[in-house]
């Protein structure tokens, strides 16, 4: 999980504006909330795409907790990542309702066509593949989530088309 | 002006509702037809989504399931005039048997209008329960909930009124408040009733939580919402902001001088945080580790204060109970299970969706009359009721009435009402293995039977499937399951053996294939 720590251990690797907005301002805005840690971690990851190790230190100091305590929380939840991943997150539901509709074949296809396993990103840094246990779309399984959009009745062919379309979109933005 | 409804809940959007709405608007503009497009919540008939409704002189008529590729043809064929000849025409929405045969208490408004419309909500019984509650003292509200027979809808089925009484009677510390926490971490596979309740009728949840606050003297509430539900997140935040502006939340609720503030907190993808004490730890900003009970959360909950933790479906039942009276709710049901439960048909099922019924219908009626058999058309073989910790039921058990006690008697659980259907291609030894694997991924790690037992469970099942010392390993698996049931702190380790052992007991032949 920490294999990218060497490159990202200092905030100097992060664009200063992004650091200011994604970490410094976020912490200042949220730290007065009771139970602020999860809201802070969500906001940091939304802005930066992951939780940089330097942010863990920074958040710890702001909340008067040790970095170990913060890291303990970060590593407990499947939501949070400590290394940069793909530009888009693709989640495949692994839970029972989707299994009953062929999700095992879908996940095998996805890993094969993307050439990666769960928790990994494609070499072009476009797609990070994650498992998810239920998207609440169980009447129209199997389900896939790409960023904040959920797709129903996803066949392997449709999966490839969806992935292709988000890749194309990123190219257009650049 | 033609009124057209296109749902905006997660499932409809996942099936292309946004594209359909866009196509309808473009067509109307091009043809110069005046339309009012309402993005309603879903009615919960997900097999018919995207369900497009058009208001006609006879009433609201439905077309479905509409796929994005159907919409141009449908428009050309006179969708906006309610063309009865079209193949997707379903007649009056209210008369569709799937909907007409339900008893909708908590989902009566779902899918009727824009879920954020306060006007619609208040014109259809909304906030009447709150208004009544404001005129009652806390004990009277608690008594009303007790008399309704409502039990916790998250799965444990604990009597809600008793929990509320405990919180009512427990004082908060000096300078602190009691808390109302809504468990919206709906992690069970095959369940989506919480999601639909939040996406299609969010004010009802808000109203239920405010009433709980009035009942026990709590001024602060949190909705702990799973991050897998981005649509519900958006809708809830919007609904809370609107309810605040309209005076249903805040420092002076409807000029009563009573205070209740409400905030959505996002979970972070951990199934265990659906367990109430792990949820409280998570809200406090910690790892979601299960707490030892006692003390009960009702006495020492969030930040050590008396706290009601109830499921979304428990809170959304409350406005009806206050509005219509406890007996209107208690009159429906079966045995000690009173009122209705929104069942959720999922997995390999022809007509998946939400079916709110009084307790007591049999599983078979639900799956056949409503569900219409499997999606694949193959025979049904196994049904998992009550989420990933629920038993797999073979056909011999499908005539069990759907109520808490009848299910407990067959070592099953009704849980949150999820029903996941599998056809005859399922390999039950693989499902048993998955149950253990899921426990490995989601165990909080606090107690040994769950943390280590689940890993050992995967290994033992692998050995059985590979035909290694079969009898000895089956005995070992049974022993391991017994240890997990008896020795785990919470339901995660304590119930993971239910699907495993039921698979082994009822579908033993699947464990004998060998390699």
């Amino acid at each position: 999980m920490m294999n990218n720590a060497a490159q990202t251990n200092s905030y100097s690797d992060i664009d200063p504006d992004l650091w200011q907005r994604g970490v410094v301002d976020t912490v200042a805005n949220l730290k007065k909330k009771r139970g602020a840690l999860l809201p802070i971690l969500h906001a940091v990851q939304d802005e930066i795409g992951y939780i940089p190790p330097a942010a863990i230190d920074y958040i710890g100091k702001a909340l008067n907790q040790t970095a170990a305590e913060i890291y303990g929380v970060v590593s407990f939840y499947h939501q949070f990542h400590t290394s940069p991943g793909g530009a888009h997150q693709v989640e495949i539901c692994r839970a029972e309702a989707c299994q009953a509709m062929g999700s095992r074949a879908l996940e095998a296809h996805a890993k094969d066509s993307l050439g990666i396993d769960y928790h990994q990103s494609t070499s072009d840094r476009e797609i990070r593949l994650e498992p998810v246990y239920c998207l609440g779309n169980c009447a129209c399984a199997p389900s896939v989530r790409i960023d904040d959009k959920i797709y129903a009745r996803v066949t392997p062919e449709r999966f490839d088309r969806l992935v292709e379309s988000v890749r194309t979109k990123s190219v257009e933005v650049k | 002006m033609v009124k057209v409804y296109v749902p905006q809940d997660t499932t409809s959007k996942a099936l292309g509702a946004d594209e359909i709405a866009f196509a309808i608007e473009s067509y109307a503009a091009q043809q110069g037809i005046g339309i009012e497009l309402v993005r309603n919540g879903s009615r919960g008939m997900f097999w018919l989504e995207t369900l497009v409704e058009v208001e006609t002189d006879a009433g609201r008529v439905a077309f479905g399931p509409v796929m994005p590729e159907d919409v141009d043809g449908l428009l050309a064929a006179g969708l906006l005039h309610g063309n009865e000849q079209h193949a997707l025409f379903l007649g009056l929405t209210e008369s569709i048997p799937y909907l007409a045969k339900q008893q909708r208490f908590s989902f009566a408004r779902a899918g009727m209008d824009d879920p954020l419309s306060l006007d619609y909500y208040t014109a259809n019984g909304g906030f009447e329960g709150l208004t009544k509650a404001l005129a009652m003292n806390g004990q009277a509200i608690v008594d009303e909930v007790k008399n309704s027979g409502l039990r916790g809808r998250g799965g444990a089925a604990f009597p809600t009124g008793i929990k509320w009484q405990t919180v009512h009677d427990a004082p908060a510390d000096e300078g602190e408040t009691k808390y109302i926490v809504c468990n919206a971490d709906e992690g069970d596979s095959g369940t989506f009733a919480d999601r639909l309740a939040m996406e299609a009728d969010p004010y009802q949840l808000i109203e239920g939580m405010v009433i709980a606050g009035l009942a026990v003297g709590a001024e602060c509430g949190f909705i702990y919402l799973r991050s897998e539900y981005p649509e519900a997140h958006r809708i809830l935040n919007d609904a809370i902001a609107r309810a605040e502006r309209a005076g249903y939340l805040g420092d002076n609720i409807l000029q009563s001088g009573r205070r209740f503030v409400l905030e959505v907190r996002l979970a972070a993808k951990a199934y265990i945080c659906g367990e109430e004490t792990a949820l409280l730890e998570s809200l406090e900003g910690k790892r979601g580790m299960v707490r030892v009970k006692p003390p009960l959360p009702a006495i020492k909950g969030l930040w050590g204060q008396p706290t009601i933790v109830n499921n979304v479906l428990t809170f959304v039942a409350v406005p009806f109970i206050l509005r219509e009276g406890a007996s209107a709710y208690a009159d429906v049901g079966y045995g000690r299970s009173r009122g209705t439960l929104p069942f959720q048909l999922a997995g390999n099922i022809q007509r998946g969706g939400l079916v709110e019924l009084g307790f007591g219908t049999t599983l078979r009626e639900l799956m056949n009359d409503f569900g219409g058999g499997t999606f694949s058309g193959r025979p049904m073989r196994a049904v998992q009721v009550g989420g990933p910790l629920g038993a797999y039921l073979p056909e011999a058990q499908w005539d069990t009435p759907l109520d808490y006690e009848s299910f407990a008697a067959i070592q099953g659980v009704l849980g949150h009402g999820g029903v996941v259907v599998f056809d005859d291609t399922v390999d039950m030894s693989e499902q048993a293995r998955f149950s253990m694997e899921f426990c490995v991924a989601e165990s909080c790690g606090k107690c040994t039977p769950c943390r280590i037992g689940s890993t050992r469970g995967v290994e033992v099942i692998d050995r059985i499937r590979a035909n290694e010392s079969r009898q000895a390993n089956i005995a070992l698996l049974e022993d391991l399951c017994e240890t997990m049931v008896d020795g785990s702190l919470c339901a995660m380790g304590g119930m993971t053996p239910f699907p495993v052992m039921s698979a082994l007991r009822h579908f033993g032949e699947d464990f004998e294939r060998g390699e």
Side-chain angles (χ1 to χ4, degrees):
Chain A
M1 216 172 184
M2 294 288 283
N3 53 355
N4 283 311
Q7 299 119 45
T8 55
N9 216 3
S10 150
Y11 70 84
S12 61
D13 293 331
I14 300 168
D15 172 65
D17 290 342
L18 187 58
W19 176 265
Q20 178 69 34
R21 187 176 72 240
V23 181
V24 180
D25 294 349
T26 295
V27 170
N29 288 339
L30 295 174
K31 74 172 185 185
K32 290 267 157 54
K33 262 184 195 286
R34 220 167 173 188
L37 184 51
L38 259 67
I40 288 174
L41 293 174
H42 273 293
V44 169
Q45 184 157 300
D46 284 350
E47 284 285 344
I48 300 187
Y50 68 107
I51 313 282
I56 291 177
D57 289 335
Y58 187 90
I59 295 165
K61 287 197 181 89
L63 297 183
N64 206 16
Q65 287 182 274
T66 65
E69 283 174 297
I70 308 298
Y71 181 74
V73 172
V74 170
S75 63
F76 182 86
Y77 295 98
H78 301 306
Q79 179 94 30
F80 304 120
H81 309 299
T82 51
S83 61
H88 302 282
Q89 177 153 301
V90 175
E91 295 168 89
I92 300 178
C93 179
R94 291 198 70 203
E96 289 87 345
C98 285
Q99 291 167 3
M101 289 296 288
S103 68
R104 284 197 180 92
L106 178 65
E107 59 182 336
H109 170 83
K111 288 176 183 181
D112 197 47
S113 76
L114 294 171
I116 52 175
D117 203 345
Y118 284 132
H119 314 297
Q120 295 179 344
S121 298
T122 52
S123 55
D124 62 2
R125 290 260 169 231
E126 283 292 331
I127 309 287
R128 181 205 287 270
L129 187 66
E130 291 287 335
V132 66
Y133 295 98
C134 199
L135 293 164
N137 188 38
C138 323
C140 299
S143 305
V144 165
R145 176 175 175 177
I146 302 180
D147 299 325
D148 264 357
K149 265 200 95 163
I150 290 160
Y151 299 90
R153 300 250 188 259
V154 181
T155 57
E157 299 72 41
R158 179 143 188 254
F159 179 86
D160 290 343
R161 284 203 305 277
L162 289 170
V163 167
E164 205 43 54
S165 73
V166 296
R167 276 191 159 136
T168 327
K169 242 182 259 161
S170 321
V171 172
E172 280 166 10
V173 173
K174 282 170 197 163
Chain B
M1 188 68 92
V2 186
K3 208 166 181 181
V4 186
Y5 297 84
V6 180
Q8 58 158 318
D9 86 298
T10 296
T11 295
S12 316
K13 285 189 166 189
L15 289 161
D18 285 346
E19 289 87 330
I20 290 164
F22 180 76
I24 292 173
E25 277 186 315
S26 313
Y27 177 85
Q30 219 172 50
Q31 302 286 319
I33 305 170
I35 64 162
E36 184 191 348
L37 181 72
V38 178
R39 297 304 301 272
N40 56 328
S42 172
R43 306 257 192 168
M45 296 185 285
F46 292 129
W47 55 290
L48 290 174
E49 296 293 358
T50 298
L51 185 84
V52 178
E53 291 177 82
V54 180
E55 203 149 84
T56 68
D57 293 338
R60 271 165 79 162
V61 297
F63 294 84
V66 180
M67 297 293 159
E69 56 271 23
D70 298 332
V71 69
D72 287 343
L74 192 54
L75 283 161
L79 168 77
L80 299 177
H81 305 107
N83 176 8
E84 296 185 12
Q85 306 308 318
H86 197 277
L88 296 179
F89 181 77
L90 298 164
L92 291 170
T93 316
E94 299 290 330
S95 306
I96 297 173
Y98 197 91
L99 197 57
K101 287 194 291 183
Q102 299 192 29
Q103 283 173 294
R104 290 212 162 176
F105 288 4
S106 297
F107 287 83
R109 279 178 299 259
M112 293 299 289
D113 210 306
D114 177 354
L116 291 167
S117 166
L118 267 172
D119 289 342
Y120 179 81
Y121 187 69
T122 49
N124 289 277
F127 293 121
E128 280 179 29
L130 173 63
T131 309
K132 280 195 180 169
L134 280 168
M136 297 159 77
N137 66 33
Q139 185 59 54
I141 302 172
V142 172
D143 288 342
E144 198 68 17
V145 173
K146 268 188 201 163
N147 294 337
S148 74
L150 178 65
R151 293 163 70 181
R153 295 286 186 253
F158 187 81
T160 305
I162 307 229
K163 187 185 275 188
W164 287 24
Q165 186 71 60
T166 309
V167 179
H168 175 272
D169 295 344
D173 292 340
E174 188 67 33
E176 295 278 355
T177 179
K178 302 178 192 180
Y179 290 97
I180 308 297
V181 173
C182 174
N183 184 345
D185 196 24
E186 183 175 51
D188 287 358
S189 174
T191 63
F192 40 75
D194 293 353
R195 177 180 68 69
L196 189 64
M198 294 184 284
E199 289 180 351
D201 201 6
Y203 296 120
Q204 185 176 228
L205 173 59
I206 294 171
E207 183 180 357
M209 290 184 74
V210 178
I211 292 171
L214 296 173
V216 302
E219 295 190 336
C220 182
F222 290 100
I223 299 172
Y224 185 82
L225 174 71
R226 61 202 311 258
S227 62
E228 291 88 339
Y229 286 178
E231 291 296 335
H233 190 209
R234 177 181 63 80
I235 289 172
L236 279 177
N237 276 335
D238 205 341
I240 288 172
R242 290 174 193 227
E244 265 170 17
R245 282 200 295 276
Y248 297 106
L249 283 171
D251 289 330
N252 188 9
I253 298 164
L254 296 178
Q255 314 299 322
S256 65
R258 304 292 297 271
R259 176 173 190 271
F260 191 78
V261 293
L262 184 57
E263 190 187 332
V264 179
R265 285 286 175 94
L266 217 48
K269 288 176 84 178
Y271 179 74
I272 195 62
C273 291
E275 195 281 335
E276 60 176 359
T277 63
L279 186 159
L280 294 174
E281 290 286 299
S282 183
L283 267 180
E284 291 182 8
K286 301 174 193 159
R287 291 162 72 92
M289 306 284 278
V290 172
R291 292 178 184 172
V292 177
K293 291 192 271 194
L296 295 170
I299 292 169
K300 281 192 183 303
L302 192 59
W303 292 297
Q305 305 309 312
T307 302
I308 289 180
V309 186
N310 275 146
N311 178 255
V312 174
L313 296 182
T314 313
F315 285 122
V316 300
V318 169
F320 176 92
I321 292 165
L322 269 285
R323 188 179 78 232
E324 306 291 333
S327 60
Y329 194 78
D331 282 349
V332 172
Y334 183 92
R336 292 203 294 120
S337 307
R338 308 313 310 170
T340 60
L341 186 65
F343 297 99
Q344 298 128 83
L345 284 171
N348 198 329
I349 189 91
Q350 188 62 243
R351 299 197 294 251
L354 180 132
V355 180
E356 184 174 358
L357 287 175
F359 291 92
T361 312
T362 69
L363 184 57
R364 195 187 298 274
E365 287 174 290
L366 183 66
M367 294 190 301
N368 290 336
D369 297 358
F370 286 92
T374 61
F375 186 82
S376 61
R378 301 181 66 93
M380 284 185 193
R381 178 147 183 258
V383 185
Q384 188 178 34
V385 181
L389 307 178
Y392 283 102
L393 310 177
E395 184 168 4
Q397 296 182 328
W398 296 350
D399 293 311
T400 310
L402 291 158
D403 92 300
Y404 296 120
E405 277 67 40
S406 304
F407 263 65
I410 58 162
Q411 291 175 305
V413 283
L414 210 46
H416 192 53
V419 175
V420 178
V421 177
F422 292 79
D423 72 11
D424 63 351
T425 60
V426 67
D427 175 351
M428 293 305 296
S429 71
E430 197 173 22
Q431 296 309 120
R433 185 189 192 279
F434 176 79
S435 297
M436 285 291 188
E437 193 190 346
F438 182 67
C439 189
V440 172
E442 300 299 327
S443 172
C444 82
K446 184 158 183 163
C447 69
T448 318
C450 178
R451 184 184 68 245
I452 310 276
S454 52
T455 298
R456 296 289 94 92
V458 173
E459 295 165 359
V460 175
I461 293 172
D462 280 345
R463 288 203 289 271
I464 295 169
R465 296 180 76 202
N467 235 339
E468 276 177 46
S469 319
R470 175 184 310 281
Q471 287 316 315
N473 276 311
I474 285 178
L476 191 60
L477 181 62
E478 286 171 350
D479 190 52
L480 175 68
C481 283
E482 198 181 308
T483 306
M484 288 176 72
V485 170
D486 294 340
S488 299
L489 258 179
C490 80
M492 179 88 234
M495 287 172 62
T496 290
F498 287 13
V500 175
M501 290 312 298
S502 60
L504 185 64
R505 200 170 294 133
H506 304 303
F507 305 92
E509 64 275 20
D510 288 14
F511 292 76
E512 284 169 23
R513 288 176 185 170
E515 293 301 318

